[in-house]
Structures are given as C-alpha cells and as structure tokens.
Amino acid sequence: MTSTHQQRVVIAIDGPAGAGKSTIAKRLAQRLGFTYIDTGAMYRVVALWGLRQNVAMTDMHRMEQLAIAADIDLAPGRISLNGEDVTEAIRTPEASSGASQVAVIPGVRRAMVAKQREIGQHTNVVMEGRDIGTVVFPDANVKIYLDDDPGERARRRAEEMRAKGENPDLRALAAQMRERDQRDSTRADSPLAQAPDAIYLDSTGLSLDEVEEAILKIVRNRITNGKDFS
Ligand code: DC
C-alpha cells in the first residue's frame, strides 16, 4: 500500500460568509506547510473584471468569457488579475455582491473549478469556499463545514473591515450577508451545502485556537492515524 505521506492531501473547508473560513484555513495551511487557496477570491476577481468592463453580473455569456480569459494568480497573501494586484480591490461590497451573482453562472463555475482542480492536483492544499467538499474535490481527505451564529458572522466581518480603517454599518452588512448566503445556498449549480461526509463545526463561542485545534485533531485522525505532521 502507498504511504499516505506520498499522496497529495486536500483539506476542504466550506461554509457561509463570515464563518471564519479564511482565517482558519490560512492558519491551518501555515501550520501544516500546505498551500492555502481562497476560492471566493477567484469569483471576486471575475466580478471585479466584469464591473470594470461595465458587464452586467447577470450576463451569462460575457461573464463566462471573462472567467475563461482571466489570468488569476494566487501568490501567498496576494491575488492578481492579468498581472495587476487586486488584493484590496476585490474586497469592496460591490465585489462581494458581484461575486455571489457571477457564482450562479454555470460557465463561470466551470472555469473556476477547472483552475481550482489544477492547483489542487499536485500540491497539498487547504481550500476554502462553498462547493469544495461537494463538487471541486469530492474525494478530499478532510471536509469541514464551518458555521457560526449569523450575528457573530456579521460582527466578525465588521471587525475585519474596521481593522482596515472602514466604518461599516452593522445592520446593512448583516443584510448584505444574508442576501448573499441566501443566493449562494439556493442557486441551481453547486449551492452552498454540507457534503454528506463533511464534519459540521459550529464555532459559536470558540476561540480561533480552539477551532484550529479541533480541525487539526480531525486532520491527524484522518490522515496520519493520530501522528503529527512532520
Ligand atoms: O468567500 P467569499 O465571501 O470571498 O466568496 C465570495 C462569493 O463567491 C460568495 O458569496 C459565493 C461565491 N463562491 C462560490 O460560489 N463558490 C466558492 N467555492 C467560493 C465562493
């Protein structure tokens, strides 16, 4: 039998907006020496390009063309579109809403999923999004569905924005997140859903360290039979 150490490992983390997926996925990747992939950032990049080109987010044909043509580079901590660093530009409310709208389009999803599979084919990854455990890597070694109380999720997102010098209206932000979650979980193609074999983790009341430890325990059990990664 092949040693598990020689196979590439995929840790899939899905869940609604503001559940803390990015923070936890980044910490896990760092801890394990894996590559961190933020798939939401990829949909945001496509939306940003469409917004800049004045393409309607509902224009399925044009948005698919942009998704196929987009040269998206995910360097650690930075993301670029056709060579331009758009790390900050994709975090506006327009890009958030746009990403959720273009993510409904099957052709856009096909293009993104192909890029995501390509990245995860050869390297150990912690990949976070909405459909990683269900569609992108249904054979992922570890699948986590990370959830949190909706009020807590909105507060977490507001705190991130304040840290960047913004002054968000908590009620408006909570409403935008509700709208996005509703669209993301009811669309026909690859809706946000917990994979049947995913572990549901509710982080309500847990510290970041506690969530990280809980997931690491699952990873160790699934991949190294309880041993630490070296
Ligand atoms: O994780 P995020 O908030 O940056 O994601 C932005 C939007 O992209 C989200 O509202 C839905 C979409 N998305 C998706 O449909 N599938 C993914 N794997 C990741 C994100």
Side-chain angles (χ1 to χ4, degrees):
M1 216 175 92
T2 322
S3 155
T4 50
H5 288 287
Q6 285 162 5
Q7 297 169 348
R8 69 102 171 86
V9 173
V10 174
I11 299 175
I13 303 184
D14 292 301
K21 300 186 299 293
S22 303
T23 310
I24 285 296
K26 255 183 240 163
R27 285 173 67 143
L28 281 172
Q30 175 122 40
R31 189 90 176 252
L32 300 168
F34 286 15
T35 301
Y36 160 64
I37 304 293
D38 172 0
T39 62
M42 299 170 72
Y43 289 92
R44 286 169 180 270
V45 165
V46 174
L48 177 71
W49 201 9
L51 288 166
R52 285 178 171 179
Q53 304 281 321
N54 282 321
V55 177
M57 297 291 106
T58 49
D59 186 334
M60 296 176 70
H61 183 61
R62 291 289 316 281
M63 287 312 308
E64 177 177 358
Q65 284 178 331
L66 292 184
I68 292 168
D71 177 10
I72 301 173
D73 186 50
L74 295 151
R78 313 299 304 172
I79 184 158
S80 66
L81 165 65
N82 303 331
E84 177 197 346
D85 188 328
V86 292
T87 311
E88 275 82 39
I90 59 167
R91 297 291 158 193
T92 62
E94 292 73 28
S96 299
S97 167
S100 173
Q101 292 178 66
V102 300
V104 167
I105 303 171
V108 170
R109 300 205 70 82
R110 265 195 303 278
M112 295 300 104
V113 170
K115 288 180 206 276
Q116 290 152 15
R117 287 192 179 140
E118 171 67 29
I119 299 168
Q121 203 155 35
H122 308 291
T123 31
N124 295 331
V125 291
V126 181
M127 195 174 280
E128 55 112 339
R130 305 293 189 288
D131 61 340
I132 312 306
T134 49
V135 174
V136 184
F137 287 111
D139 62 342
N141 309 68
V142 176
K143 298 181 187 179
I144 305 289
Y145 188 90
L146 191 62
D147 206 354
D148 201 348
D149 163 72
E152 194 47 50
R153 292 196 275 112
R155 276 191 290 280
R156 179 180 290 120
R157 190 45 59 81
E159 218 167 279
E160 285 167 10
M161 293 171 77
R162 273 187 224 107
K164 286 192 272 177
E166 293 164 40
N167 187 21
D169 176 319
L170 189 60
R171 285 178 77 148
L173 184 63
Q176 284 160 14
M177 287 170 71
R178 258 198 312 278
E179 188 187 326
R180 208 144 65 84
D181 285 339
Q182 168 74 7
R183 191 188 295 115
D184 295 345
S185 51
T186 56
R187 67 180 174 227
D189 188 353
S190 317
L192 164 66
Q194 183 184 346
D197 53 346
I199 293 173
Y200 180 84
L201 190 62
D202 184 347
S203 63
T204 308
L206 297 181
S207 69
L208 271 175
D209 283 346
E210 286 169 330
V211 176
E212 185 183 338
E213 272 315 311
I215 299 180
L216 275 174
K217 208 163 149 189
I218 297 163
V219 172
R220 288 191 198 106
N221 282 334
R222 288 280 167 97
I223 299 168
T224 62
N225 292 325
K227 291 189 221 84
D228 268 332
F229 273 84
S230 49

